[in-house]
Amino acid sequence: YLEKFILDMMRCLFLQRVTGRDSNKEHINFISTHLKGKALDWFNDEIERPGTNLWVEEVVVLMMNRFISVSSAFRADTEFHSIAYRSDDGPYGLYRDITTCVMKMSYNPHERELSRKFLSLIPFSMSQDLVTNKGLNDTCSLKELYEAAERYHEDLLFTRTIRAAERPPAPTRE
């Protein structure tokens, strides 16, 4: 989440044309306006104290070191390797679990690793359709694979609904 926060913050500063080395103090002040609780207390004690002269990049690294603990990153790494496909959640649930977990990990897995993981966890019939019929593979982005898998899943649900509607009603006892 911290990485997303930082990227969003940098985009916002760029859109407001607050860029470049001359804007360092504005960048740091902007960070502080988005902090709460322990993060704001830490910021006020460590970054805003008199005599501190840091670049925004240094502030970001200090924040990451302070708030992303080794144990939480290890938990995320372990969680990543134990993600499983759940039929109740379908492809969306798997995609959500993978992307959420990656944001908390100590390293950013290569896109190909994410695609391989997705293809290996979806049901075999779905994976076979994506690879054989659609020509997709682990060189495709995770998002592209997810979207194709979601279409397959929706088509499958639609077909099951049609078949169920076509079945004659079960005889009733009188």
Side-chain angles (χ1 to χ4, degrees), residues 50-112:
T52 303
N53 188 19
L54 299 170
W55 289 102
V56 70
E57 294 88 352
E58 294 171 304
V59 172
V60 168
V61 168
L62 289 170
M63 283 176 59
M64 291 179 77
N65 288 340
R66 173 65 176 87
F67 294 102
I68 299 180
S69 69
V70 173
S71 62
S72 64
F74 178 75
R75 264 193 316 276
D77 293 350
T78 304
E79 183 183 322
F80 178 74
H81 295 291
S82 64
I83 291 174
Y85 182 87
R86 292 182 305 276
S87 58
D88 292 350
D89 294 336
Y92 171 74
L94 181 60
Y95 176 77
R96 179 199 60 222
D97 291 350
I98 290 173
T99 55
T100 301
C101 192
V102 165
M103 286 191 287
K104 298 183 272 182
M105 292 175 67
S106 62
Y107 72 100
N108 287 328
H110 190 276
E111 182 73 24
R112 198 167 193 166

Side-chain angles (χ1 to χ4, degrees), residues 25 42-54 62:
K25 190 65 178 167
W42 169 84
F43 185 91
N44 290 334
D45 293 343
E46 297 296 322
I47 307 303
E48 288 294 312
R49 71 174 181 227
T52 303
N53 188 19
L54 299 170
L62 289 170

Side-chain angles (χ1 to χ4, degrees):
Y1 298 109
L2 182 60
E3 186 175 312
K4 182 182 178 329
F5 162 74
I6 292 166
L7 290 173
D8 288 348
M9 178 198 64
M10 297 309 285
R11 270 190 215 103
C12 186
L13 290 169
F14 178 77
L15 290 173
Q16 293 177 11
R17 307 252 189 262
V18 183
T19 59
R21 285 293 193 188
D22 296 335
S23 304
N24 187 63
K25 190 65 178 167
E26 288 82 6
H27 291 175
I28 293 172
N29 286 331
F30 187 79
I31 290 173
S32 70
T33 64
H34 290 80
L35 300 177
K36 296 184 230 170
K38 290 181 181 180
L40 183 57
D41 293 342
W42 169 84
F43 185 91
N44 290 334
D45 293 343
E46 297 296 322
I47 307 303
E48 288 294 312
R49 71 174 181 227
T52 303
N53 188 19
L54 299 170
W55 289 102
V56 70
E57 294 88 352
E58 294 171 304
V59 172
V60 168
V61 168
L62 289 170
M63 283 176 59
M64 291 179 77
N65 288 340
R66 173 65 176 87
F67 294 102
I68 299 180
S69 69
V70 173
S71 62
S72 64
F74 178 75
R75 264 193 316 276
D77 293 350
T78 304
E79 183 183 322
F80 178 74
H81 295 291
S82 64
I83 291 174
Y85 182 87
R86 292 182 305 276
S87 58
D88 292 350
D89 294 336
Y92 171 74
L94 181 60
Y95 176 77
R96 179 199 60 222
D97 291 350
I98 290 173
T99 55
T100 301
C101 192
V102 165
M103 286 191 287
K104 298 183 272 182
M105 292 175 67
S106 62
Y107 72 100
N108 287 328
H110 190 276
E111 182 73 24
R112 198 167 193 166
E113 182 181 352
L114 301 177
S115 296
R116 277 191 198 120
K117 182 158 195 72
F118 187 84
L119 283 171
S120 71
L121 293 175
I122 58 177
F124 179 74
S125 59
M126 189 182 294
S127 178
Q128 187 177 21
D129 181 71
L130 298 183
V131 172
T132 306
N133 299 334
K134 306 285 189 281
L136 301 174
N137 58 42
D138 64 359
T139 62
C140 299
S141 72
L142 176 62
K143 184 173 174 95
E144 187 177 2
L145 291 172
Y146 153 67
E147 289 170 348
E150 190 63 35
R151 283 190 298 275
Y152 177 90
H153 183 69
E154 288 170 1
D155 290 347
L156 184 63
L157 292 175
F158 180 75
T159 302
R160 287 180 183 164
T161 303
I162 295 298
R163 286 185 184 155
E166 291 173 348
R167 284 189 209 130
T172 58
R173 288 187 174 172
E174 295 203 24

